[in-house]
Each structure stands twice: as C-alpha cells, then as structure tokens.
Amino acid sequence: MIIDGAILAAGFGTRMASPVPKVESVVLGETLVSYPWRALLSLGSLLGQIHVVVRPEGFWRNPGLEDPAGRKPALVVQPVMDGTWGAVEAVATSGPFLSGKASHLLVVNGDGPLLDEGLLARFAGMGQESPGALCLATAELSHPRGYGRIIRDASGCVVDIREESRASEDEKKILEVNAGIYLIPREILLSAVSRVPSDSVKNERFLTTLVSLVVEEGGTVRTFPMTPECMLGVNTQEELSQVTAHLRTRINRSHMEKGVTFWDPSRTDIGPLVSIGAGTVIMPQAVLEGKTRIGCSCRIGLGVHLADTVVGDGVILRDYVVATEAILRDRSVAGPFAHLRPGTDLGEEAHLGNFVETKKTVVGAKSKVNHLSYLGDAEVGSDTNVGAGTITCNYDGYDKFKTRIGSGVFIGSDTQLVAPVSVGDRSVIAAGSTVVSDLPEDALLIGRAPAEIRAEGGIRYHRRRKERGSSRSGQSSPNKKGQE
Ligand code: UD1
Ligand code: CA
C-alpha cells in the first residue's frame, strides 16, 4: 500500500490579522506548515509523494519543507480559494497524483502542528484494515467551538460533519469534532471530483461535505479517535501561542526523558530539530533553534540563543551567548555576552569571553580571546592568547581580507591587525600595536608611537587650562575628580 500525503496550506489565514501567510508563521523556529510535513515524512516507506496545496499568488517565501532523504513537496496551486474541498480537488486532479500509485490520500491541515507521529501511523494503518472506507480522525473537546461537529445516526454511524456556521444550537452541543485529518481512498476521491457543491452560507466547497456524499452513496465512513491536543489548529494569534506552549511542553519533556536538566522548562524554547545530550543543564530563557546539536554535560546559561549551531561535549555557555551557524568544540567556554556569527569554529578548550564578536573565524584549541574583541575572517592557531580589545581590521570599505595568527602567539591588549596580515607562531605583539605587515615566527613587534614624558608637565597643563578658562561658553567646569 502506498499513501500520498496532502497538506492544505493555501488559505491565507485572515483571522491571524498578519501580513505573513498563516502557514508560514514561525513556531519554535520552524514554519507552521513544516510540522505536518515532518509528521507525514514519519510514515516512511508507506509514503508516496507529499502534495502541498498553495495559493496562486505564490505566497510562499520560506516554507521550510526539508527532508533528510531529499524528498521535495509536490506543489499544487489551488486556482481559486473556494474552500477545503477545492484544495483537495486540486490535488486529486494534479499530474503528480494521477500518475502516482497511491491507493489513498492522507489529508492534513497545514495549520495543525501538533499531529502525533505514532497516532498518525496508526491512522494510516486504517487504510489496510478497511481499504474502501473514508476514514476521519476525530476528537472529544470540552470546548468544541469553531470545529466541524461529527453527526452520527441512532446506530452510531457517522452521517455528516456539520460546520459551526451551519450547525443548529443542538448540534453545537456535540463535543465530538472533525480533527481535519482524513484518509481518502483513491476511488472515492476521483469519483467526487466536480460533485461537491458549494456551501450556501459561506459559498465555499467544504471537504467535510464528502462525508455526506459517501454516506448517500452507501459507502463506509470510519472514525479514529485522536487526543484533543493532536488536532489543535491555529486560526488566531492566540491559538498560535497556545500550540507553541503545547509543543514546548512536548519537546522539553522528550529532552528530559533523555537526561537533560531544565531549571524551568516552561521558559526554555527548543525547536523540533534540536538534539541535546544527556547531562546537559539548561538555564531559563535559552532559545535553541534550527538544526542546533548540543553534546553531553554542557551548561547552557541564561538567555543563550543558538541557531543552527553545533556544540560539543562539556561546553560551557555562560549567560547571553548568541551563536548562529557556529561550532563550539568539546570543553570550550564562551560568554557571558559573546556573539559567534556564522563560520565561527571555536576549538577544544578554547575560550571566548565577554563582549567578543567573531565571524568566519577559527580559534584553535586552548586559545583564549577573553575580552572585548572583534575577530572577523581570521584563523587563530592553538594556545594563543588574544589580548583585550584586539580587533581584526578585515574590511577596507570594499573587500574583506584574512588575518592569520599562528600558535603560541601572544597578542597584547588593544592591538589592531590590519588584514591581510599574518602573525607567525610564538610571536609576541606589544599592547597597543597596529600591525600592518606580516610577522615571522618567534618575532616581537612593538607597533606603537614611543611615549614622551615631560617631568611636571601635568602641573603646567592644569595651570594653562585654568588661566585660559573654558573655550566654549556654557561648558561645565571640571568635576571634583578633574574629569570632564
Ligand atoms: C476545518 C474543517 C473543520 C475541522 C477543522 C479542524 C472544513 C470545511 N472544516 O475547519 O470541520 O473541524 O478544519 O482544524 O474543512 N485551505 C486551503 N484552501 C482553501 C481553504 C483552506 O488550502 O480554500 C487550508 C488552510 O490553509 C488550512 C486548512 O485548509 O490549513 C483548513 O482551513 P481552515 O479555514 O482553517 O478550516 P477550519 O475552519 O479550521
Ligand atoms: Ca483551521
């Protein structure tokens, strides 16, 4: 049996009141539509293609639909926004579906990110148990408002789904609702093309009308109970925050089961693709997103924000480290307040201290860049000490240039390295130097203007200033400590 997936993602989501199409809203760093995409991918060998129904305007900036196996979505344009059946019909009549071999189409809403992979696999299994039946996932909600209600006859068989807009007061009291997840046999799907009428109230063609169509023609409709959480959809910003809270709980719980310690899991945001090793401790307000991978026994400080970053074992990230597309190798230490921009590679046991910014920079093992530095387009060897306030001047206003610093180097505080430039192994640079040409191995560079010391010059200076008074009117006089 092969099942094709279909994600309905063409609706704009007007109730979100945002210029961003609803399914591209971001939840824990990933787009809303990428959640059902990954849930469908989890069906593995059962899965044929995944059709994603999109808007004609091509409003599709960053869907984030990636697959480690390289599968691409089959994009289907829904020509007019005429409702959920219009979206499914667009798939049913598309070349990729018609030429494919799928016996069923598993339809999910693009705005439901909480689909549980295990339940979805069992739901898909109904295709084997009752190959000719139209299968629906349902849930019992204590507050069913807004969802389609499941209408059953006296013997308990499903006969219809009633949308809220058409439901009577009695029907609105029904707690069993349509989860928006359907398994439709190919024959039912193809025979319904062009036969689902528009709803008289909303003037849309509802996918839910397929149920009464099948029942009228003597077909079988089966239901599959899902947990209420699984089917929560996003129609408003408030619901977006609610599903985010559910996902946060679910993701953080799974990390705790694998030995990760949270000071407060309700205040830590971790994306669905992030992996974390056992023994790692995470302080509040950390945000870990994208394909970030963290090793074992690390310490992730308060407010640390990592995106697509690889962290080895035993790494210490002090408070407010921000890293994007960076690598921090085993037992390295960063922060507080360090900014590791893309292309940073911090070596084993290397240190990057407070107010240090790095970009496209490799720092070798055990090297230290501890205070107030900027290293861009740089390579630093191992066991090198980069003094406070060291700056690589990597940009001349037009192009970027590289700085190469060897191993065992000592760079004094407040050094500027004007790239392109290289510093040989074991060289020493005196504090306050401006380095404009290459330095060989084992050399000493003192690149600062010689100091001039005039005995009692300070006394003469103050006397002159007092005699002259303030040159600018209204300027305040020196304070008690003599500073302006
Ligand atoms: C739908 C169901 C409702 C169910 C609920 C579960 C219908 C008519 N109603 O209601 O029974 O309880 O889901 O969450 O199906 N979309 C398109 N093209 C369109 C319209 C919508 O692709 O023309 C997509 C949307 O992007 C969305 C999905 O279909 O991802 C569902 O549409 P939405 O308008 O949110 O349906 P609901 O009112 O939530
Ligand atoms: Ca919805």
Side-chain angles (χ1 to χ4, degrees), residues 7-13 15 22-23 53-54 78 80-87 108-112 146-149 161-163 177-182 202 204-208 231-235:
I7 303 177
L8 309 190
F12 190 80
R15 286 169 279 175
K22 172 166 75 178
V23 293
V53 185
V54 298
Q78 183 181 353
V80 266
M81 287 303 103
D82 58 350
T84 42
W85 171 255
V108 299
N109 284 345
D111 61 3
Y147 291 98
R149 310 297 205 280
I161 298 177
R162 194 83 76 236
E163 289 307 307
V177 303
N178 170 25
I181 306 162
Y182 316 78
K202 286 186 102 183
E204 281 186 13
R205 294 192 295 156
F206 291 161
L207 170 52
T208 46
M231 59 152 298
L232 283 181
V234 173
N235 298 304

Side-chain angles (χ1 to χ4, degrees), residues 395-441:
Y395 184 50
D396 64 2
Y398 296 90
D399 292 304
K400 302 274 169 69
F401 300 95
K402 286 206 79 160
T403 300
R404 290 195 174 78
I405 300 169
S407 294
V409 171
F410 179 90
I411 298 187
S413 297
D414 192 24
T415 291
Q416 301 105 54
L417 298 139
V418 183
V421 72
S422 68
V423 178
D425 291 347
R426 297 172 303 281
S427 278
V428 175
I429 296 175
S433 295
T434 301
V435 182
V436 295
S437 50
D438 292 353
L439 196 59
E441 292 177 1

Side-chain angles (χ1 to χ4, degrees), residues 4 22 33 50 77 135 156 213 251 265 273 368 384 390 435 444:
D4 270 9
K22 172 166 75 178
V33 66
I50 302 182
V77 174
C135 302
L213 211 67
I251 290 171
L273 306 176
K368 294 191 171 64
T384 283
T390 295
V435 182
L444 168 69

